[in-house]
Amino acid sequence: MAMTETEMMLKGYGLTTAEFFYRLPDYRNVLQSFVWQDYDLAPDHPKLFEFVEFWQREIEGPLHSVCFTHRKLIAPGEWRNVTGELTLH
C-alpha cells in the first residue's frame, strides 16, 4: 500500500522539482524543457535519478542539462504541541 503525502513528509520526504532541458531528436539545435515533480529523499534523490535513468533509456531526446531543487515541506520548527484551546465568543 502506498504512503499518503502526509506520511511521506513525516518520514523525511520533501518535494523535488526538476527542469529537464533536452534536444529534439530531429532538430539537435533546439532545446525543449520538461518539468517533473515528486516527493523524494534528499540528499540521494533516488526517485529523481530513477527518472533520469528512465529518460536516458526510453526517450529519444538526449538530455542537455537538469536543474532541480528540493524543499522539505514539514520542518522541525513548524510543528508544536498544543495542549489546550481557548475560544472567544
Side-chain angles (χ1 to χ4, degrees), residues 15-86:
L15 187 62
T16 300
T17 304
E19 185 172 16
F20 292 80
F21 293 95
Y22 64 97
R23 298 186 185 280
L24 293 178
D26 295 335
Y27 302 96
R28 297 295 173 143
N29 293 330
V30 178
L31 284 178
Q32 290 280 87
S33 70
F34 175 80
V35 177
W36 173 90
Q37 273 190 328
D38 204 347
Y39 289 98
D40 209 353
L41 287 169
D44 296 332
H45 300 287
K47 288 188 177 185
L48 174 61
F49 287 110
E50 179 182 318
F51 185 77
V52 169
E53 290 171 2
F54 165 79
W55 185 291
Q56 291 174 333
R57 188 176 61 248
E58 302 291 332
I59 307 295
E60 289 184 24
L63 287 175
H64 174 270
S65 59
V66 178
C67 299
F68 72 94
T69 184
H70 178 84
R71 168 87 166 111
K72 280 193 166 187
L73 300 176
I74 297 178
E78 295 179 21
W79 285 92
R80 60 190 172 118
N81 186 20
V82 177
T83 57
E85 183 176 336
L86 178 64

